[in-house]
């Protein structure tokens, strides 16, 4: 990138002259010459006299000036203000990247710096809170330099606050190393034989992993924890509060200290007389989901097909709050699946259904998942297929994400017999688009009739209904057009929205039609990208109640009587 002063030398001269002009009228400012720093940024060294103290500073211009503001910061590593980005960092002034205008100058920034330093110095510590501040950091900004962090969930905080004063417990934490730092998450609180487990920490994160143990001590109310840095001093303080470290928690080196104001995790070094403190990352409470989604915790979804579309739908529904899943798929996750599947290399070679189960377990703590490594409508034992189909019939919604006609026909029969709604989808070959559709008992045609009506609608438009290609490619072309991850994600997201509409029993439905053809680029029936066709599938087919004949009634009665007799006989 070409520095701004090479393309606008007049602006550089104007900036320097503006500071010289300010210095000529302001006795508190001295200006030196212009220089370049090691990163080729233009710098002007200055000195500000504020409340009797000389502040040697630099006005540093960014490479993209004047589109972002210059910085005013100490020449040496010094702390000048409560409105400063760290020791030696730039001052947080009245103008920043969020309200800067190219018409402002370095002289404006220097004037702001003098007002800040003088205001704080004249009023002492009492005035520091009065000086207006724009130094509002997010938790991410505050912790980015911290390599040791501990996450405290709202559930854990509530549990800690309920402990009696001066209580001592054992904590078990999952330790995760992510370059460049280490991160701890409390999982279990142990009190003798009683173990409380944080329900908001996903079990796949810590089950089967050796947990790191430490001690928990609840400081008495009103007692403030000293900022001791030596292990000797901290042990002495804890003893005065009723915690005898080596007696109450022998072998401990990690201490989760809980006060009225929150948590502090201390690591007592064994090599030196030093205590290291972890940065506490508090997790806020509350939900970011619509109120109508509260019912999803009691809903179950049967998902057949954990490939590229199915894996994305499962993750999305789990994040929305669906409480139980029945997952069915026999396929393995292979390297070539990485271009579209929602899974990653951490589960390569594993059955997709198990990988998806772990992923949604990590995304939604407490979710229940039944896993079936089976292939429907294929070479499987009849008894095995029957157990899978019975599990699907018990679900509130069945989703077909296989794009396999034989599976579609089988699931159609399953949901028809159980009177369950069904959603299905497919991505068209070449990434031109896809379809999503639903069938709700008593409101829409059965899945098979719905498919026939979609075909008829396409025929009326003068086009042949596309059939989703499982590898999402057109094998007839020399260089096949393939649906990529973005294509699959769009169609899967529409399928998830259709599913959520059914599960939350939205009335009236947000989707007036029960089938949609969604275009992603111009082609086939789509005249432009995101061209969507809603298809009116018409009313459901009329159902005629079957009246059993005498022979059927007699046979069923015998079966029921035999079953009752068997159940009553203990032998």
């Amino acid at each position: 990138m070409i520095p701004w002063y090479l393309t606008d030398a007049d602006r550089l001269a104007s900036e320097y002259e503006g500071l010289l002009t300010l210095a000529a009228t302001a006795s508190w400012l001295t200006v030196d010459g212009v220089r370049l720093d090691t990163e080729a940024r233009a710098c002007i060294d200055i000195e500000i006299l504020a409340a009797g103290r000389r502040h040697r500073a630099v006005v540093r211009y960014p490479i993209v000036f004047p589109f972002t503001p210059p910085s005013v910061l100490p020449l040496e590593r010094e702390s000048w203000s409560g409105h400063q980005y760290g020791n030696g960092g730039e001052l947080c002034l009245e103008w920043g990247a969020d309200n800067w205008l190219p018409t402002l100058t370095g002289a404006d920034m220097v004037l702001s710096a003098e007002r800040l330093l003088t205001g704080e110095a004249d009023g002492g510590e009492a005035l520091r809170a009065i000086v207006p501040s724009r130094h509002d950091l997010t938790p991410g900004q505050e912790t980015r330099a911290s390599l040791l962090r501990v996450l405290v969930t709202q559930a854990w905080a509530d549990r800690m606050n309920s402990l009696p004063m001066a209580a001592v417990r054992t904590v078990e934490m999952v330790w995760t190393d992510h370059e460049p730092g280490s991160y701890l998450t409390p999982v279990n609180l142990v009190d003798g034989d009683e173990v409380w487990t944080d329900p908001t920490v996903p079990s796949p994160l810590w089950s089967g992993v050796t947990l790191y143990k430490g001690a928990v001590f609840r400081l008495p109310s009103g007692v403030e924890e000293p900022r001791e840095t030596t292990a000797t001093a901290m042990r002495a303080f804890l003893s005065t509060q009723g915690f005898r470290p080596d007696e109450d928690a022998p072998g401990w080196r990690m201490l989760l200290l809980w006060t009225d104001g929150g948590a502090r995790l201390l690591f007592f070094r064994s090599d030196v007389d030093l205590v290291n403190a972890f940065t506490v990352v508090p997790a806020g409470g509350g939900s970011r989901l619509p109120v109508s989604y509260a019912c999803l915790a009691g809903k179950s979804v049967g998902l057949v097909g954990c490939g590229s579309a199915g894996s994305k739908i499962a993750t999305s529904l789990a994040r929305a709050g669906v409480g139980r899943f029945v997952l069915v798929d026999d396929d393995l996750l292979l390297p070539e699946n990485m271009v579209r599947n929602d899974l990653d290399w951490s589960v390569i070679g594993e059955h997709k259904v198990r990988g998806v189960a772990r992923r949604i377990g990590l995304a939604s703590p407490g979710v229940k998942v039944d896993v079936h490594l089976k292939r429907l409508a294929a070479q499987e034992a009849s008894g095995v297929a029957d157990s899978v189909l019975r599990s699907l019939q018990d679900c509130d919604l069945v989703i077909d994400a296989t794009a396999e006609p034989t599976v579609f026909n089988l699931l159609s029969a399953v949901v028809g017999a159980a009177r369950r709604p069904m959603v299905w989808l497919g991505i068209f070959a070449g990434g031109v688009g896809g379809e999503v559709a639903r069938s709700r008992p008593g409101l829409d045609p059965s899945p098979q009739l719905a498919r026939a009506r979609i075909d008829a609608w396409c025929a009326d438009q003068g086009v042949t209904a596309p059939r989703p290609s499982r590898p999402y490619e057109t094998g007839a072309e020399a260089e096949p057009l393939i649906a990529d991850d973005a294509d699959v994600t769009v169609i899967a997201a529409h399928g998830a929205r259709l599913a959520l509409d059914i599960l939350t029993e939205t009335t009236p439905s947000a989707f007036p039609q029960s089938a949609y053809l969604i275009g992603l680029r111009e082609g086939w029936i789509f005249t432009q990208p995101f061209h969507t066709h809603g298809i009116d599938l018409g009313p459901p087919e009329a159902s005629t109640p079957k009246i059993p004949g005498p022979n059927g009634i007699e046979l069923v009665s015998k079966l029921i009587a035999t079953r009752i007799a068997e159940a009553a006989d203990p032998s």
Side-chain angles (χ1 to χ4, degrees), residues 337-370:
N337 299 131
M338 290 297 102
V339 296
R340 285 184 296 266
N341 202 286
D342 203 51
L343 302 177
D344 54 44
W345 269 80
S346 65
V347 287
I348 201 73
E350 178 61 274
H351 281 82
K352 292 177 182 177
V353 68
R354 285 184 173 147
V356 171
R358 174 176 172 78
R359 179 157 179 78
I360 63 178
L362 288 170
S364 178
V367 68
K368 295 179 174 59
V369 186
D370 297 333

Side-chain angles (χ1 to χ4, degrees), residues 424 437-438 444-445 449-451 453-454 513-515 535-539:
W424 63 97
R438 71 181 173 208
D444 305 307
L449 180 57
R451 181 174 61 182
R453 289 180 177 175
I454 293 172
Q513 310 300 339
S514 292
I535 303 176
D536 183 0
L537 298 182

Side-chain angles (χ1 to χ4, degrees), residues 21 26 39 77 115 135 152-153 185 190 211 238 268 305 340 344 399 406 437 534 546 559 565:
T21 301
E39 296 183 30
R77 189 174 180 81
R115 284 194 290 269
H135 192 186
V152 176
T153 69
T185 305
V190 183
L211 296 176
L238 293 172
F268 287 73
R340 285 184 296 266
D344 54 44
I399 301 175
T406 53
K546 294 183 178 180
L559 288 173

Side-chain angles (χ1 to χ4, degrees), residues 147-196:
L147 301 183
L148 298 175
R149 304 178 192 173
V150 57
L151 174 69
V152 176
T153 69
Q154 186 60 50
W156 187 270
D158 293 341
R159 185 71 178 188
M160 292 298 97
N161 288 329
S162 69
L163 289 178
M165 297 301 169
V168 179
R169 301 288 187 268
T170 297
V171 60
E172 294 180 335
M173 298 171 282
V174 58
W175 185 305
T176 307
D177 287 319
H178 290 303
E179 190 64 31
S182 297
Y183 307 88
L184 284 167
T185 305
V187 176
N188 295 325
L189 184 67
V190 183
D191 182 15
D193 295 332
E194 181 183 347
V195 179
W196 177 82

Side-chain angles (χ1 to χ4, degrees), residues 50-52 114-125 127:
E114 191 275 335
R115 284 194 290 269
L116 172 65
L117 296 173
T118 300
E120 285 190 329
D122 287 349
E125 291 295 328
L127 193 59

